[in-house]
Amino acid sequence: QVQLVESGGGLAQAGGSLRLSCAASGRTDRSYTMGWFRQAPGKERDFVAAISRSGGSTYYADSVKGRFTISRDNAKNTVYLQMNSLKPEDTAVYYCAARPGTVVAVKRASYDYWGQGTQVTVSS
């Protein structure tokens, strides 16, 4: 099993930036692909970005493409989400997720492990 803890959320103005981190612990000796999802009040938890075990492949939701960047540091067991040009519609709780194996997935149901989430609020 792996445990995930997100950090870095907070309040930002529109056009600003935030960087989220997700630290993994536990069975980090296994291969995991990692993803970020977000859930706004009253809405479904949606895919944001995903990254392969090596970091060589990344995928993004159309709504964040060109503004957000996912990366990982395997030596630190940490995944990052750099969020630039933030918009009020980016306001949500952001969740880190892990999926055993090497195949990157964009569906929520494909991920086995989840963090508790970190709130991101973007003011206009």
Side-chain angles (χ1 to χ4, degrees):
Q1 229 177 359
V2 64
Q3 293 78 44
L4 304 173
V5 178
E6 302 96 335
S7 61
L11 178 64
Q13 290 189 335
S17 299
L18 285 173
R19 189 175 83 153
L20 305 183
S21 298
C22 172
S25 60
R27 288 296 307 273
T28 56
D29 56 307
R30 296 186 63 185
S31 294
Y32 295 94
T33 59
M34 303 295 294
W36 286 97
F37 290 74
R38 66 186 181 185
Q39 188 168 17
K43 295 189 176 181
E44 296 287 321
R45 190 174 298 187
D46 293 331
F47 170 76
V48 175
I51 189 167
S52 62
R53 172 68 175 90
S54 68
S57 296
T58 57
Y59 298 85
Y60 297 93
D62 288 343
S63 59
V64 307
K65 205 171 291 184
R67 299 188 298 121
F68 290 10
T69 302
I70 189 172
S71 61
R72 65 191 297 168
D73 184 337
N74 289 333
K76 296 182 179 179
N77 295 319
T78 301
V79 176
Y80 305 97
L81 185 68
Q82 178 67 43
M83 306 186 294
N84 298 330
S85 302
L86 283 164
K87 303 176 181 180
E89 51 263 45
D90 294 320
T91 295
V93 177
Y94 282 71
Y95 296 90
C96 174
R99 179 177 189 274
T102 59
V103 177
V104 179
V106 301
K107 293 183 178 180
R108 183 180 61 187
S110 299
Y111 287 82
D112 294 335
Y113 305 104
W114 293 85
Q116 293 299 307
T118 185
Q119 176 70 46
V120 170
T121 303
V122 183
S123 62
S124 57

